[in-house]
Amino acid sequence: MKKLAAQLCFPRPSWRWAALPFLLVVWCLAASRVPSYVLPQPWDVAAEGFRWLRSGELGHQVVASLLREFGGFGAAVVAAVLIGVSAGLWRPFREFVQPLLGLFMAIPPIAWAPLSLIFFGLGYLSIAVVIFIASAFPMAVTIQEGVLSISSGEVRAARILGAGRLQLLAHVYLPASLPFLTAALRIGFAQAWRALVAAEMIGASQGIGWMVAMGGQLGNSAQVLLGIAIIGLTAWLMESLVFRRIERRYEGWRGQ
């Protein structure tokens, strides 16, 4: 009881909120030692952000990147679920697809960007294809491992009770592999987001990656840092508001 009262009166401090102020202090100290065109101060980057925001260009660039991200990532999720579940359930397909998964995962996704530009030209589809390649195969491997982790005893018990293939899939394989599916989504989105930014820096006329690349070409380091901050903030918001909530929902299923 005393311990509980102490915790209520003197809650344990959280150090997570100290990370951002620490980063800003280090940034200010480093920027004070070099010219502003090399490393601007945080308030210079904030002023650049307000300028982009007032003109409406900032929202336009962010929306363009998100449309590409969710288009390529959404298609990758569908393909990964189909490949991962099929490979986990049927051994011949698993033996066939494993070398292909290993091959595509070994190649850096950005290496596909020039070929995608040749095939599909400068635009939405070429970057969406790179995002698809970057995220589909890691997710498929994770989902496959989730299906393979299901014990044969659970499957036999369900079959004894009269479950058919669709019932096994809906009531045994899918619930048991949900934690792996949420992990696959986190991994896939991170891979897709990195590939998106890199592909936009190479072959796009709009988007956050294009914004960073153009800032570098113009020598506008404030624009470059603004783009980098938006990239990190967007990924952090997706992690905090979407994937962590999904993972917490199914946290109790781990190890069962």
Side-chain angles (χ1 to χ4, degrees):
M1 192 66 180
K2 291 182 179 180
K3 184 177 180 181
L4 178 60
Q7 289 177 351
L8 292 175
C9 297
F10 305 100
R12 182 179 179 182
S14 175
W15 292 99
R16 70 177 63 182
W17 303 110
L20 184 57
F22 173 77
L23 178 62
L24 290 175
V25 169
V26 173
W27 182 356
C28 291
L29 291 175
S32 65
R33 297 179 177 274
V34 296
S36 59
Y37 65 85
V38 176
L39 181 62
Q41 292 284 357
W43 47 86
D44 296 326
V45 178
E48 182 75 9
F50 282 122
R51 185 179 70 82
W52 278 75
L53 193 61
R54 282 196 305 268
S55 66
E57 279 297 310
L58 184 60
H60 179 71
Q61 306 305 330
V62 172
V63 169
S65 292
L66 289 177
L67 288 175
R68 292 168 180 154
E69 171 74 6
F70 288 113
F73 180 65
V77 170
V78 175
V81 170
L82 292 175
I83 295 172
V85 172
S86 301
L89 292 177
W90 295 295
R91 183 175 179 179
F93 182 74
R94 180 166 65 251
E95 293 175 350
F96 168 78
V97 81
Q98 275 184 342
L100 299 177
L101 293 176
L103 174 65
F104 279 96
M105 289 180 62
I107 300 173
I110 196 59
W112 297 98
L115 186 62
S116 183
L117 286 170
I118 293 172
F119 270 91
F120 304 108
L122 187 67
Y124 176 90
L125 186 57
S126 61
I127 297 176
V129 168
V130 176
I131 294 170
F132 177 88
I133 295 173
S135 56
F137 303 108
M139 287 193 293
V141 171
T142 306
I143 294 170
Q144 172 191 303
E145 293 302 317
V147 176
L148 291 174
S149 67
I150 301 169
S151 68
S152 58
E154 295 174 356
V155 177
R156 284 198 301 268
R159 284 176 176 167
I160 291 172
L161 293 173
R165 288 187 177 182
L166 291 178
Q167 290 174 318
L168 281 173
L169 185 63
H171 299 291
V172 178
Y173 287 107
L174 182 59
S177 59
L178 271 175
F180 289 86
L181 179 59
T182 57
L185 291 175
R186 294 178 67 180
I187 294 170
F189 183 84
Q191 294 291 336
W193 190 242
R194 294 188 186 101
L196 164 74
V197 174
E200 285 183 340
M201 294 178 72
I202 293 175
S205 57
Q206 58 182 355
I208 304 173
W210 169 84
M211 179 180 168
V212 172
M214 286 300 298
Q217 293 177 15
L218 297 173
N220 188 348
S221 54
Q223 180 176 322
V224 174
L225 288 171
L226 175 63
I228 292 172
I230 294 171
I231 292 166
L233 178 62
T234 305
W236 178 79
L237 287 174
M238 285 297 299
E239 173 71 18
S240 301
L241 300 180
V242 179
F243 298 120
R244 284 187 183 176
R245 291 188 177 185
I246 296 174
E247 191 172 45
R248 281 197 297 266
R249 183 178 180 85
Y250 300 109
E251 186 69 28
W253 295 31
R254 293 184 183 274
Q256 295 184 11

